[in-house]
Amino acid sequence: MSWLCFTLVLAILLSQSINRMTKPDVTIVGAGIIGLATAANLVQRGYHVTIVDREGPAAGASQGNAGAIAWTDVAPLASPGLWKQAIKWLMDPLGPLTVRPAYAVKILPWMLRFMAASNHSQMKRSTEALAALNAEAWPSWERLWRVSGTHNQVRKDGCLELFDTVSSLKDAHLGWEEQRAFGIDVQELDLAAIRDMEPGLSDRVVGGALVPEWAQVDDPKLLCLSLADWLKSQGVVFDVGEVAGVQSKPSGVLVTLADGRTVHPDRLVIACGAWSKKLAAQLGDKIPLDTERGYNITIPEPGVTVNRFIMLPGHGFVLSPLSTGLRVGGAVEFGGLDLPENWKRVDAMVAKARRFFPDLKTEGGKRWMGFRPSIPDSLPVIGAAPQADGVYYAFGHAHHGLTEAAVTGEMITDMIDGATPSVDPNPFRADRF
């Protein structure tokens, strides 16, 4: 009997070894949170993974976001109601939404697509797709946190949405009802309850709501670096290099690096955020991706206590308490990848934040600007490249890259594995435009 057991165990181990040997090699372009989460799912299924990035893990938007797992968000940015507010914001060069004059002509085609995606029928489709994707975001992250040992870097304190005008508070009710329709808990609060939660707030708040299931990581960069360390322990190779070109050939995919090296992976995943558009175009896919430049400041000693993530929708920014300090950030600036930063936008956000927390200090604060890769219909591109066998896209997540990283990684891994993803990938295909 013991020999039989030994033979069975040996057969299982041999089968697993052969399975790993027959799995194709996968190269991922991009060591941000999407690339890291995709690698984490692939390596669990026995794939040999290499991640190529010009700077290494968490060098871009993944290090400077607000740290939210905002799976409770279901509303696309492209919506009919946004235009009334957007026109008002655009009148202020330092407001929540602005277009740099030097970039106005370049962004026009994207804006026209955004307007087209803002009609009621498209908004309904985008909302349903986002709700389906984000419904799997949290359980996907729970699986990844457990296996990677990073579960202690996340907390669920909820998100407090605050308003300082009666009209903006009234407008918010429609969005809250939509969230509730998808089973998301939204608790409207009176001023006394808000004051109990955040005693440091000024008197200008007129109302708000708590979304209790909203979650937050201690620090997005720390999470990325921890995942990278775990991936290295699992045999994932990190290659620092800039991908200059990709080609689809009869023999497979050819990846050319800026230093002259070439790579011939069995499978390729393009997950390099705002820089993905150029690579997809080389494969014949014209993706309408542009960048929302986001600004923030992280203050190690802010002089005020913020107990949980606070969103100020009427002003387009958030206050996010991280392990590294209070991060004040948000806003949207369309200016592409090359124009210099406009740090006055950080100063404007700080000035507005002081209206809500008058004692806020900024000494020792570190300013940052990053590029959110955004698609006009507010849906990322997740799936196989239509014109290149063996290539997969995972980019364009805009404000929800951290939120949707784990579920995106699972979907891409399922596709490479030949399995059916848990989320219908059709709304996110690259040839939908």
Side-chain angles (χ1 to χ4, degrees), residues 148-167:
S148 64
T150 54
H151 56 281
N152 60 343
Q153 294 186 32
V154 63
R155 59 191 188 275
K156 192 179 277 189
D157 298 325
C159 173
L160 192 58
E161 295 184 22
L162 299 179
F163 299 86
D164 59 350
T165 66
V166 174
S167 60

Side-chain angles (χ1 to χ4, degrees), residues 28-208:
I28 299 172
V29 183
I33 191 62
I34 302 293
L36 295 172
T38 301
N41 280 281
L42 285 165
V43 77
Q44 289 179 73
R45 299 197 205 174
Y47 287 89
H48 300 277
V49 181
T50 299
I51 301 178
V52 181
D53 191 282
R54 61 180 182 174
E55 296 181 75
S62 293
Q63 69 169 296
N65 61 71
I69 308 294
W71 70 270
T72 56
D73 282 355
V74 296
L77 287 177
S79 61
L82 179 66
W83 285 103
K84 180 176 69 174
Q85 195 171 39
I87 291 172
K88 179 182 69 174
W89 283 347
L90 285 169
M91 301 301 290
D92 180 1
L94 296 177
L97 172 63
T98 188
V99 178
R100 295 281 282 271
Y103 200 69
V105 174
K106 288 185 178 180
I107 194 61
L108 183 58
W110 190 97
M111 285 292 187
L112 293 175
R113 286 181 177 273
F114 184 83
M115 291 176 66
S118 297
N119 65 66
H120 285 283
S121 60
Q122 178 58 53
M123 178 188 170
K124 183 177 183 294
R125 289 193 294 270
S126 295
T127 299
E128 291 172 348
L130 280 176
L133 186 65
N134 287 349
E136 292 297 318
W138 180 254
S140 297
W141 261 122
E142 286 189 307
R143 289 188 285 273
L144 182 48
W145 283 322
R146 279 197 303 270
V147 74
S148 64
T150 54
H151 56 281
N152 60 343
Q153 294 186 32
V154 63
R155 59 191 188 275
K156 192 179 277 189
D157 298 325
C159 173
L160 192 58
E161 295 184 22
L162 299 179
F163 299 86
D164 59 350
T165 66
V166 174
S167 60
S168 61
L169 177 62
K170 182 179 179 181
D171 291 341
H173 283 82
L174 183 61
W176 294 338
E177 287 304 317
E178 188 172 55
Q179 286 176 291
R180 291 177 180 128
F182 286 99
I184 296 164
D185 185 16
V186 181
Q187 302 171 5
E188 295 180 52
L189 306 173
D190 58 25
L191 290 177
I194 292 172
R195 184 73 57 198
D196 286 342
M197 290 183 174
E198 299 293 342
L201 275 168
S202 69
D203 294 333
R204 70 179 295 121
V205 175
V206 300

Side-chain angles (χ1 to χ4, degrees), residues 10 15 17 39 49 57 74 97 111 132 136 177 229 256 290 302 305 314 344 372 395 399 424-425:
L10 184 62
S15 173
S17 177
V49 181
V74 296
L97 172 63
M111 285 292 187
E136 292 297 318
E177 287 304 317
D229 287 342
T256 305
D290 214 293
T305 299
K344 291 181 179 179
R372 307 183 190 101
F395 57 79
H399 296 251
D424 179 9

Side-chain angles (χ1 to χ4, degrees), residues 419-433:
T420 301
S422 60
V423 179
D424 179 9
N426 188 59
F428 311 101
R429 68 188 191 279
D431 59 357
R432 69 182 186 265
F433 305 103

Side-chain angles (χ1 to χ4, degrees), residues 235-317:
V236 174
V237 176
F238 284 81
D239 186 353
V240 176
E242 181 178 356
V243 174
V246 292
Q247 293 176 273
S248 178
K249 293 179 172 292
S251 58
V253 183
L254 173 65
V255 180
T256 305
L257 277 64
D259 60 10
R261 290 180 293 149
T262 58
V263 183
H264 299 266
D266 296 319
R267 301 289 185 272
L268 178 69
V269 180
I270 296 177
C272 49
W275 288 267
S276 301
K277 178 180 180 179
K278 178 181 176 181
L279 299 183
Q282 293 176 4
L283 296 171
D285 294 315
K286 295 184 178 180
I287 310 296
L289 181 149
D290 214 293
T291 57
E292 300 177 35
R293 295 151 62 106
Y295 291 81
N296 68 45
I297 182 171
T298 305
I299 311 161
E301 299 291 340
V304 297
T305 299
V306 178
N307 294 313
R308 60 188 50 76
F309 197 100
I310 293 178
M311 184 181 295
L312 298 156
H315 298 279
F317 74 96

